[in-house]
Amino acid sequence: MIRPVVEFCVSNLANGSYPALEKLENDSTIDILEYGCLNHCGICDQQMYALVNGEMITGENPSELVDRIYEFIEENLIY
């Protein structure tokens, strides 16, 4: 089974998405990576986001971001 990879930008984590990372870290079926920059500065400055297997997922708050990440994983049968 291939585990989905969720990538976070450190700047976006500092701008409020860190609680999403914390919640996802408790899920052993997901690999989490943090990068200094994911080169999506325009989005990063405006809202919370993460890349799931390379696809951008956004949310207005950490809870919505986590929900959308799980929805994306489920819809794309990544597990």
Side-chain angles (χ1 to χ4, degrees), residues 24-44:
L24 293 171
E25 281 184 327
N26 292 322
D27 188 336
S28 63
T29 65
I30 296 174
D31 288 330
I32 305 291
L33 299 173
E34 296 176 45
Y35 292 97
C37 182
L38 291 173
N39 296 315
H40 296 286
C41 301
I43 301 270
C44 187

Side-chain angles (χ1 to χ4, degrees), residues 26-69:
N26 292 322
D27 188 336
S28 63
T29 65
I30 296 174
D31 288 330
I32 305 291
L33 299 173
E34 296 176 45
Y35 292 97
C37 182
L38 291 173
N39 296 315
H40 296 286
C41 301
I43 301 270
C44 187
D45 190 44
Q46 295 176 18
Q47 62 186 33
M48 296 173 198
Y49 84 98
L51 300 180
V52 180
N53 287 2
E55 295 291 324
M56 182 178 293
I57 308 299
T58 61
E60 294 298 318
N61 56 58
S63 179
E64 182 178 81
L65 179 59
V66 169
D67 290 345
R68 287 185 174 177
I69 287 170

